[in-house]
Amino acid sequence: MPWRLYKHDDAGAPVLNGTRGSLIALLDACLVNGYGTKPAAGWSKAFADMNRAAFRMGSGRLRAYLRVDEANATVASEGRIQSFEEMATLDSVTNPVASSGHLVVKKSNATDATARQWWLGADDRTLVLFTHYDTSGIVSGTYFGEFYSYVPNDNFGLCLIARYWEGTNNWTANIEGIGMQAQGAYSAMNGHFIYRDAAGITKSPQ
């Protein structure tokens, strides 16, 4: 599947805001169903209940799952995300990727229905989402999917990068997603997880 760009000002685009369910609706439209003249990126919606859903890659070696939980997010303006190597239901899961703390997508700086700008690039096994969640110019980045690996036939060459929730609703050092530069090269970063190490043994290293 080719990479496609979806954005907030497309005709028929879904609205992202600070209410529960808006992130799932956005991913439904972009990844699974399409909208307007934009075809979907080729994912499926494997499981769903009220304000929770699991999206599955349409291709790739592992065809991994992304679980989006807006029901249990600390505030409605965020969506909690997690990935697993296997899922039987939304709660019957194997090998969580972010094994400590949890990761979130910042949708808005307020729990209201005011639309926020967003941009999503995706193919059928990777997505990159940017949300412009307030008027100050701050953009939050989230990455989920495969990456090019130096390991031949790497079944675990996938990663999840998002805002790391530390127990507050404020931006603090080392919790940004894509683009964080506070730490030096080769040091582990909060909110950055791969599925397994290069040997395929150690699970969920930062």
Side-chain angles (χ1 to χ4, degrees):
M1 295 284 290
W3 272 83
R4 294 186 171 94
L5 176 64
Y6 308 88
K7 47 194 174 63
H8 63 95
D9 55 357
D10 289 337
V15 173
L16 182 70
N17 56 37
T19 64
R20 299 190 194 280
S22 69
L23 178 60
I24 291 173
L26 186 156
L27 296 175
D28 269 342
C30 298
L31 301 181
V32 181
N33 300 316
Y35 62 85
T37 60
K38 292 288 182 75
W43 297 50
S44 62
K45 192 175 185 180
F47 309 103
D49 63 16
M50 181 62 69
N51 293 328
R52 297 199 307 159
F55 298 91
R56 192 179 190 190
M57 298 173 181
S59 70
R61 295 192 182 99
L62 195 61
R63 291 194 63 213
Y65 298 85
L66 178 69
R67 187 178 70 186
V68 181
D69 186 348
E70 296 182 79
N72 297 306
T74 306
V75 290
S77 58
E78 294 180 341
R80 188 180 297 190
I81 60 172
Q82 176 59 291
S83 185
F84 309 93
E85 292 182 12
E86 293 290 342
M87 295 185 72
T89 69
L90 278 170
D91 297 307
S92 178
V93 299
T94 302
N95 295 339
V97 175
S99 56
S100 60
H102 63 261
L103 305 181
V104 298
V105 174
K106 185 71 174 175
K107 302 182 293 180
S108 173
N109 65 338
T111 56
D112 61 28
T114 302
R116 293 290 187 253
Q117 295 178 338
W118 58 269
W119 303 264
L120 187 146
D123 62 7
D124 57 354
R125 56 186 176 179
T126 303
L127 68 84
V128 182
L129 172 65
F130 292 100
T131 60
H132 187 182
Y133 69 87
D134 69 6
T135 58
S136 69
I138 298 176
V139 174
S140 177
T142 301
Y143 182 103
F144 173 65
E146 296 193 350
F147 58 83
Y148 288 107
S149 173
Y150 289 108
V151 177
N153 301 314
D154 186 356
N155 288 326
F156 302 103
L158 300 98
C159 66
L160 178 63
I161 302 173
R163 182 187 178 204
Y164 187 76
W165 192 84
E166 294 183 324
T168 70
N169 194 37
N170 299 314
W171 289 96
T172 55
N174 305 329
I175 64 172
E176 171 62 290
I178 299 171
M180 181 62 193
Q181 299 181 21
Q183 293 180 260
Y186 310 117
S187 59
M189 291 180 66
N190 293 335
H192 292 224
F193 292 88
I194 59 175
Y195 276 58
R196 298 195 187 189
D197 65 358
I201 297 172
T202 302
K203 299 173 184 177
S204 185
Q206 284 182 301

